[in-house]
Amino acid sequence: MFLKSCVCVCAFAGLCGCCWALRPRYKRLVDNIFPEDPEEGLVKANMEKLTFFALSAPEKLDRIAAYLSERLTRELNRHRYGYVCIAMEAMEQLLLACHCQSINVLVESFLSMLRLLLEADRPHLHILATSSFVKFANIEEDTPSYHRSYDFFVRRFSEMCHSEHEDVDTQNKIRVSGIRGLQGVVRKTVDDELQVNIWEPRHMEQIVPALLVNLQRHTQAGGESPTEQTEVCFRELLGRAAYGHITNAVRPVLMHLDSHGLWEGRSFAAQCFQIIMYSIQSQHSHLVIQQLLGHLDANSRSPASVRAGIVEVLSEAAVIEASGSVGPTVLEVFNTLLRQLRQSVDYQLTGYYDDAAKHKTTSAEEKTLQDAVIKTIGSFANTLPVYQRSEVMLFIMGKIPVPGIYPALGSPNAGYHFKMIQVMLLKSSNLLTALPSSFLEPLLSFTLMEDPEIRLLVLSILTSLIDRCHNAARVPAARCSRQDNLFIRKHAQRLYRHVYLTCREESSGRGHYQALVTLLAVLSVELANEEVVVDLIRLVLALQVHADLSVLNRCGVHAVCAAFLNLLSQLGPPPPLQQHVTQVRPPVYKIMLNVFGRVCVRLPEGELNVDEACLFDQSRMCEALTGSSYSAHIERFNTPYTPQLTGTRNTH
């Protein structure tokens, strides 16, 4: 009876020391890590005792974690944030010490503690929780982890990335913490099949926009920049993406750029896709290209500035793509770009970029888009091996109206459709590969079109094709290879014929004659041999006798003849030939300068009567070539040039 009374007295007297002694040991060990003054921090000696006990009695881990969570909740409700920090630090140390054995027992309590902190209205607690989560994410678990839900953390960290806190420094810290939190979620889940699939659209549609919003921000002076941390996280995310994840990772980028109008100006859009292309595995890069192409088609009814932005991003992505291929559907890439080019021409002609004629566009805007498409075609062509470039050129020619083959030649769109091939052809490195007969014949047929702009463009293309050493500007001597000899043997007569006929076009202007001189000069430099030189001289002699042309055209023809022979005579033929050319040149010099626009000289009025002394003499030139390496071709030289319809040479 006396003993019972003593116990009751003790209980009612509130002798906490006796009651505390009756508490479970794990609770006493947890309580001992908290100092009387929270500013003193975690009691390290007592923390070591708690850690030793946890390792010695792993069956108590779940109770220790639950009690730490209980203490944190209590201190959080009392706004004793110093003790809250101590509780989180203790849990972190337990996780690090016990991860080899029973970390799964601790994780649920740990994550519940983080949720409490992230749901609080204190920014410093959000930052504390994020820091703890990042430490946890860096722990490599040795035991399989059962399914854990990280949905809350993805959502909360993404919200932190959009923080609009009134204090800029605090706002930056919250955003940086959110970015690091997302980075931690990715690291923790991406390689664990038992955990949540972070690549699902519902997660990517939260993570990617949160990163892109901060990628747009500029570095704040004197503070931590969300931009730098964002780029690191974005690159890591993309670098971990497997083949089946690329689409889900890139689609939110396209949606974000659409919804925020970021294609126009394209600097940010280009930055995003530079990061994407350099971060993903190289064998997956064609998937990004395909998504961009599909997005371009989806925006066919968007303003020209939007379409041009997407196209230019495509162009830069093609340059970065380094594997030499744009995927299994190479022609589909060019088909999409050609389709956009044709649509742009239609919009330019109608003045609207929609069928209902409600949204106006301008010729200048559509021209910007067309230039971007042409540039992009060149960028893609540059990634292809040579044999594929030839296939692509033939594919493109099949889309263009050709005289005598396609009935739509007279369409007002034909000129616009044709221009896009120029960049494609400039990428060729082998004449035989770049110019198969099936391609050269329809190309040359354009030199006879009524439109002078297209004729001038064809001359420029032909010059560019042959001018692989960039001789058009400096015209030095170049060595003719065996392949070049084969090419000129096969196609020379076609080239000469179209030069001859082009000179007779009444609508030709100064630009055409300048282009003709450049083309002939490049021919003589890149592909010159004795046969070619003889044929070119025969061609010039035949050109200068035209009498049925206007004054301007006759002046142009004489200017072409004089300028070309002056150049040719300095590239190797015997000195007597150069002497004759020099003697004839002065009388027509002013005409040549006038046609080429270097000085202003009035053209003669009425008919142009050219004295024979102002013409190049066939007999004197033949005499000049006699006794040289050209002697073997004298018989051919004495035969007047006549245009031929095929590549077969004249036989005598």
Side-chain angles (χ1 to χ4, degrees), residues 128-145:
L128 173 65
T130 305
S131 177
S132 293
F133 184 86
V134 171
K135 293 176 183 177
F136 163 67
N138 290 330
I139 296 175
E140 295 185 6
E141 301 182 39
D142 296 333
T143 56
S145 57

Side-chain angles (χ1 to χ4, degrees), residues 16-36:
C16 296
C18 295
C19 294
W20 184 84
L22 297 176
R23 291 165 62 81
R25 185 183 178 190
Y26 73 88
K27 287 189 176 183
R28 282 179 286 151
L29 290 171
V30 170
D31 290 335
N32 285 338
I33 67 174
F34 293 91
E36 292 185 6

Side-chain angles (χ1 to χ4, degrees), residues 21 37 100 312 319 364 382 393 493 519 525 597 616 631 638 650:
D37 184 357
C100 292
E312 292 196 23
V319 173
N382 200 34
M393 282 187 274
Q493 296 306 315
L519 174 59
V525 170
F616 297 98
S631 299
N638 289 326
N650 286 329

Side-chain angles (χ1 to χ4, degrees), residues 8-208:
C8 292
V9 169
C10 290
F12 286 105
L15 297 178
C16 296
C18 295
C19 294
W20 184 84
L22 297 176
R23 291 165 62 81
R25 185 183 178 190
Y26 73 88
K27 287 189 176 183
R28 282 179 286 151
L29 290 171
V30 170
D31 290 335
N32 285 338
I33 67 174
F34 293 91
E36 292 185 6
D37 184 357
E39 293 185 1
E40 296 178 4
L42 182 69
V43 180
K44 294 182 179 179
N46 292 337
M47 185 65 213
E48 291 177 0
K49 294 178 182 179
L50 176 61
T51 302
F52 180 78
F53 176 78
L55 292 173
S56 303
E59 70 277 3
K60 301 289 186 179
L61 274 175
D62 56 339
R63 299 181 186 181
I64 295 173
Y67 186 56
L68 267 173
S69 178
E70 180 185 332
R71 281 295 304 259
L72 180 137
T73 304
R74 186 192 313 162
E75 306 299 350
L76 188 62
N77 292 334
R78 295 176 179 177
H79 306 291
R80 299 168 66 176
Y81 301 120
Y83 287 127
V84 170
C85 294
I86 291 173
M88 286 307 308
E89 184 180 354
M91 180 60 85
E92 290 172 12
Q93 292 195 22
L94 286 175
L95 283 170
L96 290 172
C98 303
H99 74 276
C100 292
Q101 297 180 4
S102 305
I103 191 173
N104 287 329
V105 178
L106 298 172
V107 169
E108 286 305 320
S109 295
F110 171 73
L111 295 180
S112 66
M113 294 167 69
L114 295 182
R115 291 189 191 98
L116 290 173
L117 298 184
L118 291 170
E119 289 172 344
D121 59 355
R122 300 280 177 169
H124 74 280
L125 294 181
H126 302 164
I127 296 172
L128 173 65
T130 305
S131 177
S132 293
F133 184 86
V134 171
K135 293 176 183 177
F136 163 67
N138 290 330
I139 296 175
E140 295 185 6
E141 301 182 39
D142 296 333
T143 56
S145 57
Y146 298 100
H147 181 76
R148 300 171 190 157
S149 175
Y150 291 97
D151 292 11
F152 169 81
F153 295 98
V154 171
R155 176 178 59 81
R156 191 69 189 92
F157 291 144
S158 298
E159 291 173 354
M160 291 171 63
C161 292
H162 294 276
S163 172
E164 295 293 341
H165 196 279
E166 57 186 10
D167 180 68
V168 175
D169 186 53
T170 303
Q171 181 188 118
N172 281 342
K173 289 180 179 178
I174 295 173
R175 290 194 173 208
V176 169
S177 291
I179 294 164
R180 288 175 175 168
L182 290 176
Q183 192 174 18
V185 173
V186 172
R187 288 179 180 176
K188 199 63 181 174
T189 61
V190 72
D191 296 323
D192 194 339
E193 295 181 357
L194 297 177
Q195 299 190 29
V196 63
N197 183 4
I198 200 67
W199 301 106
E200 292 180 0
R202 61 192 179 97
H203 295 310
M204 286 292 104
E205 289 170 7
Q206 296 181 71
I207 294 174
V208 173

Side-chain angles (χ1 to χ4, degrees), residues 219-375:
T219 304
Q220 301 292 334
E224 193 171 14
S225 168
T227 305
E228 296 177 2
Q229 186 66 34
T230 300
E231 185 170 342
V232 172
C233 181
F234 196 31
R235 288 183 182 278
E236 182 174 344
L237 173 70
L238 295 165
R240 293 173 177 267
Y243 182 87
H245 304 149
I246 297 295
T247 300
N248 289 345
V250 174
R251 185 184 295 115
V253 177
L254 300 174
M255 295 169 59
H256 181 84
L257 296 174
D258 284 344
S259 60
H260 291 79
L262 296 173
W263 291 110
E264 302 179 47
R266 80 172 186 81
S267 58
F268 178 70
Q271 179 189 3
C272 287
F273 278 91
Q274 283 177 353
I275 293 174
I276 292 172
M277 296 299 290
Y278 281 122
S279 301
I280 62 175
Q281 300 176 47
S282 60
Q283 65 268 30
H284 301 158
S285 58
H286 68 276
L287 295 175
V288 180
I289 301 295
Q290 288 177 352
Q291 279 190 272
L292 280 169
L293 288 168
H295 199 67
L296 179 60
D297 273 340
N299 280 271
S300 294
R301 305 295 181 186
S302 297
S305 56
V306 173
R307 286 175 278 137
I310 300 174
V311 168
E312 292 196 23
V313 170
L314 257 171
S315 178
E316 296 190 15
V319 173
I320 296 172
E321 206 286 320
S323 64
S325 175
V326 289
T329 55
V330 174
L331 294 182
E332 184 58 32
V333 172
F334 295 94
N335 197 33
T336 299
L337 294 172
L338 289 172
R339 183 165 57 249
Q340 290 297 322
L341 194 62
R342 290 195 299 271
Q343 282 185 336
S344 176
V345 172
D346 293 338
Y347 297 159
Q348 184 177 5
L349 294 174
T350 62
Y352 297 91
Y353 62 83
D354 64 329
D355 293 333
K358 294 182 179 179
H359 299 93
K360 291 185 177 181
T361 187
T362 66
S363 179
E365 290 175 336
E366 296 300 334
K367 183 64 168 60
T368 300
L369 170 65
Q370 293 160 20
D371 291 342
V373 173
I374 293 172
K375 174 187 173 184

